[in-house]
Amino acid sequence: MTSQTITWQIENGRALVDGRWSEAPLPVAGAHLAGEGTGGAAPRRIDASGLLVLPGIVDVHGDAFERHIMPRPGVRFDTALALRDTDRQLVANGITTAFHGVTVSWEPGLRSAAAARAFVATLLDLRDGLACDTRLHLRWETFALDEANEVANWLKLTPAPILALNDHTTGSVLKGTIARKIGQMAERAGISRDDYMALLDRVWSRREDVPAAIAALAQAARDNGNVLLAHDECSPQERETFRALGAVASEFPMTQETAEAARAAGEDVILGAPNVVRGGSHNGALDATQAVREGRCTVLTSDYHYPSPLYAAFKLAGGDTEALAAHWPLVSRNPARVARLADRGTLAPGQRADLLLVDASDMAHPEVVATMVAGRIVYARRALEGSALEGRAVPALASAAE
């Protein structure tokens, strides 16, 4: 490997390297992890005594930013303010790559096409100044027929968004698992329940046009090279249908059989980390802990709660650091694979220097001490030796044992 100038050296911690714990120093050269380096000024050193050094969390599906935009029904905040606040929450919880799940729906209000348009524009304007590598996960409601062309145009953005095919309309009409949320959905849309039901009826009347729209947008995603996901699949037959359209993973499958079908085909299954942290699904869906244990889940996402990926991996480990090494890929390497981001998710020379230092002295309540994104410290609860965090000289990092 070509000699590199080391800019940071993380010492005295336990780093998760190739699925095993290593106490060797972890060098960083610019934006990437490095092998041995030579030349240049002496690197800045981080004393990680008593801390775990883990690959950064890659979150392929998170919509908790919606609570920053609308913390209460009808109470809206500026999108730029919400994104900046979300960014701070992401890196404080060890998330170094985030795909914001922006729903593009036929609903008015928070999940309308207009709201999505404003969010996309604001993210593009702010992205370069955000600490977390923040990207788009376009959740297109398949009955939002009039919005499909705009979504197709967004697929051409750089970096390429993920596209997820969502159908919450059919369940609402046919009194499935979503029907009980009608009141909540009407409140989110800012209209009465009766007006929402009338709108739903009008949308449902166009159902014969939906399959062609799905096929066209899936074709656009394939042509453009976007990662395509299918959300809330209800059966192995649906998984087969969406697989044929190019959906590479099953996102929140509704049944055990659907998850098993995806895994039998060698595909990833994505479930919510809050499901693990809370001890089950809040809406009666698959138990994520059981799915992980039985090999039916390969990726955990923040879903609606940014602290959950970190806590879920530790909860699955049950206080055992060897088990943590086995479960950490659920929130790092595996989601990076789904998103086709081959440059992150592991700690290896040449990978992006996306990592976090974690105080796991209490493994039931791990705490992120510092987060690095592309070789830059973007969050630190304690001062880091030799850095100039926010332009200020800071003292040495305290040991977690102190």
Side-chain angles (χ1 to χ4, degrees), residues 281-339:
S281 170
H282 71 285
N283 61 8
L286 293 183
D287 184 302
T289 299
Q290 182 181 1
V292 169
R293 303 282 191 217
E294 297 177 359
R296 296 194 305 275
C297 171
T298 57
V299 173
L300 292 172
T301 74
S302 71
D303 196 4
Y304 55 87
H305 186 245
Y306 293 130
S308 281
L310 173 76
Y311 292 122
F314 275 84
K315 184 173 182 179
L316 288 165
D320 182 349
T321 55
E322 294 306 317
L324 178 64
H327 286 110
W328 194 255
L330 291 164
V331 298
S332 59
R333 184 184 65 204
N334 296 357
R337 179 181 64 225
V338 169

Side-chain angles (χ1 to χ4, degrees), residues 66 70 73 107-111 183-190 196:
E66 289 186 340
M70 186 183 287
E107 294 180 357
L110 182 64
R111 293 187 169 181
Q184 173 188 330
M185 295 161 78
E187 192 173 45
R188 180 181 65 209
Y196 189 92

Side-chain angles (χ1 to χ4, degrees), residues 217-383:
L217 197 53
Q219 181 67 56
R222 293 197 303 273
D223 291 345
N224 197 60
N226 301 90
V227 173
L228 182 63
L229 305 177
H231 186 81
D232 283 357
E233 294 166 312
C234 293
S235 68
Q237 291 73 32
E238 279 198 7
R239 172 87 289 266
E240 184 175 352
T241 296
F242 286 114
R243 179 185 301 126
L245 290 171
V248 298
S250 183
E251 187 184 43
F252 296 82
M254 300 300 290
T255 68
Q256 175 177 311
E257 293 76 17
T258 306
E260 288 174 347
R263 295 298 299 128
E267 297 162 337
D268 284 290
V269 173
I270 303 167
L271 294 176
N275 186 313
V276 173
V277 175
R278 297 180 68 254
S281 170
H282 71 285
N283 61 8
L286 293 183
D287 184 302
T289 299
Q290 182 181 1
V292 169
R293 303 282 191 217
E294 297 177 359
R296 296 194 305 275
C297 171
T298 57
V299 173
L300 292 172
T301 74
S302 71
D303 196 4
Y304 55 87
H305 186 245
Y306 293 130
S308 281
L310 173 76
Y311 292 122
F314 275 84
K315 184 173 182 179
L316 288 165
D320 182 349
T321 55
E322 294 306 317
L324 178 64
H327 286 110
W328 194 255
L330 291 164
V331 298
S332 59
R333 184 184 65 204
N334 296 357
R337 179 181 64 225
V338 169
R340 297 178 187 155
L341 297 176
D343 64 344
R344 66 199 72 186
T346 60
L347 301 181
Q351 291 275 287
R352 268 174 52 117
D354 291 355
L355 56 88
L356 50 149
L357 308 184
V358 177
D359 180 348
S361 52
D362 177 0
M363 285 194 68
H365 300 94
E367 183 177 6
V368 175
V369 173
T371 302
M372 178 179 284
V373 176
R376 186 169 66 95
I377 296 166
V378 296
Y379 168 80
R381 187 179 61 80
R382 307 174 187 175

Side-chain angles (χ1 to χ4, degrees), residues 104 113 116-117 120 138 149-157 161 226:
V104 186
R117 195 175 300 123
V120 170
L138 298 170
N149 286 338
E150 189 162 23
V151 173
N153 287 331
W154 287 336
L155 294 179
K156 301 172 186 177
L157 294 172
N226 301 90

